[in-house]
Amino acid sequence: MVAVVRFPGSLDHESAVRAVRGVGGEATYAWHADPQLPDGTRAVIIPGGFSYGDHLRPGAIASRSPIMDAVRRHADAGGLVLGICNGFQVLCEAGLLPGVLRTNATTSFVCRQVELEVLDHDTPFTRELGAAISVPIKNHDGAWFGDPHHARIVFSYGPENPLGSVASAAGVASARGNVLGLMPHPEEAVDPLLGSTDGLGLFAALVRA
Amino acid sequence: MTRVVVTVMPRQGVLDPQGQAVRGALGRLGFSGIHDVRLGRRIELELDGPDPLGTAREMCERLLANALIEDFTVAIED
């Protein structure tokens, strides 16, 4: 069972559920105020959106909500946690991933398809991906800032760096590899109608892990 | 009750794209001699308790500022 966490202001939870079900997985929602994850949760997705209206800093308030204590316990026990876009911001603010997401260097909302290099195939999420994937980005605060020598950078933008992230990072994982965050949206790249199916491999690996 | 003003600023050395955008706009309005513009956040807290400054500092460390990219100051305002 994959639990998709909803906060006030989450937007992409339905796309995350659709992506999981599309590869044969089961998905359910968890609410931000819940103290526990649903029974049988094997993986958690923190979806995209604008939790709490991005007030203070994107992801800052959501990262201190009750469900995040349960997500932290799940991660500490080796369970899988995937944060997409705002979910990546939440995981960084929660300290489950290194660094922080800053305002894009352009100070603008960037919405476009991008090519990602998959730098690390040795995580439970990336085993089935090719060398590069095509996925969309849509964010205003997506520039990862952190120490690239002390972070496991899993995805990078190539050949250009559309948001101005350090080391052109698009996604980073925890040292163990069981927590992954990325700004691009693999859940919006799961159907030919969307222009790419490159995200399917990530969800297939998540469901099978 | 004590009024505590928290000021959160981007850390020195961390690029501040919003400040740079404002600086560019000021230049286009004809202002010259602008060496730098940095944008931060002012938070006003009205607190009870024996140690309002210490409480405000802990609030900064736990939520109001992100130490990776931001510095903060706290001050009591009359």
Side-chain angles (χ1 to χ4, degrees):
Chain A
M1 178 69 74
V2 178
V4 177
V5 178
R6 293 182 66 185
F7 301 97
S10 291
L11 286 179
D12 300 324
H13 44 281
E14 289 182 20
S15 299
V17 166
R18 191 179 304 118
V20 169
R21 290 179 180 159
V23 294
E26 289 182 68
T28 189
Y29 290 120
W31 185 236
H32 69 107
D34 293 342
Q36 303 281 348
L37 290 163
D39 285 344
T41 295
R42 295 189 56 199
V44 175
I45 297 178
I46 317 279
F50 297 87
S51 58
Y52 294 91
D54 272 356
H55 298 320
L56 194 64
R57 297 178 305 277
I61 297 176
S63 72
R64 276 77 169 173
S65 58
I67 194 75
M68 289 308 296
D69 290 331
V71 172
R72 182 173 284 106
R73 288 193 297 273
H74 177 76
D76 287 347
L80 301 190
V81 181
L82 171 66
I84 302 168
C85 197
N86 188 224
F88 185 15
Q89 296 164 336
V90 170
L91 292 175
C92 285
E93 281 283 347
L96 286 169
L97 288 174
V100 61
L101 280 306
R102 303 193 60 224
T103 299
N104 297 337
T106 56
T107 65
S108 60
F109 193 92
V110 178
C111 181
R112 49 178 277 211
Q113 198 78 7
V114 293
E115 297 293 316
L116 297 186
E117 275 185 68
V118 183
L119 303 178
D120 187 343
H121 285 87
D122 193 22
T123 80
F125 307 93
T126 53
R127 295 208 166 104
E128 302 184 20
L129 298 179
I133 59 174
S134 174
V135 287
I137 48 174
K138 51 184 182 88
N139 66 69
H140 183 272
D141 301 276
W144 182 79
F145 179 90
D147 181 353
H149 303 295
H150 292 92
R152 197 166 164 181
I153 298 175
V154 172
F155 298 106
S156 71
Y157 301 103
E160 54 171 329
N161 183 352
L163 309 178
S165 58
V166 170
S168 208
V172 301
S174 61
R176 288 167 79 179
N178 63 312
V179 182
L180 171 69
L182 74 168
M183 287 313 296
H185 288 266
E187 84 284 18
E188 306 288 7
V190 295
D191 190 294
L193 277 174
L194 297 168
S196 170
T197 57
D198 290 354
L200 284 171
L202 193 153
F203 291 97
L206 174 82
V207 165
R208 277 202 277 278
Chain B
M1 191 188 68
T2 308
R3 186 183 183 85
V4 179
V5 174
V6 174
T7 306
V8 181
M9 293 296 294
R11 292 191 95 156
Q12 286 295 334
V14 172
L15 181 69
D16 174 14
Q18 295 182 85
Q20 291 301 304
V22 171
R23 178 186 175 176
L26 290 171
R28 288 190 293 280
L29 286 173
F31 291 99
S32 59
I34 308 168
H35 291 281
D36 199 12
V37 176
R38 299 177 74 75
L39 255 65
R41 174 181 282 117
R42 173 188 166 102
I43 302 165
E44 297 178 353
L45 304 166
E46 293 181 358
L47 303 176
D48 286 326
D51 183 16
L53 279 182
T55 302
R57 269 189 214 101
E58 189 185 348
M59 289 173 173
C60 287
E61 286 159 6
R62 293 183 59 188
L63 177 64
L64 300 179
N66 185 319
L68 285 174
I69 50 171
E70 294 169 330
D71 291 321
F72 66 84
T73 58
V74 296
I76 290 176
E77 191 173 80
D78 295 326

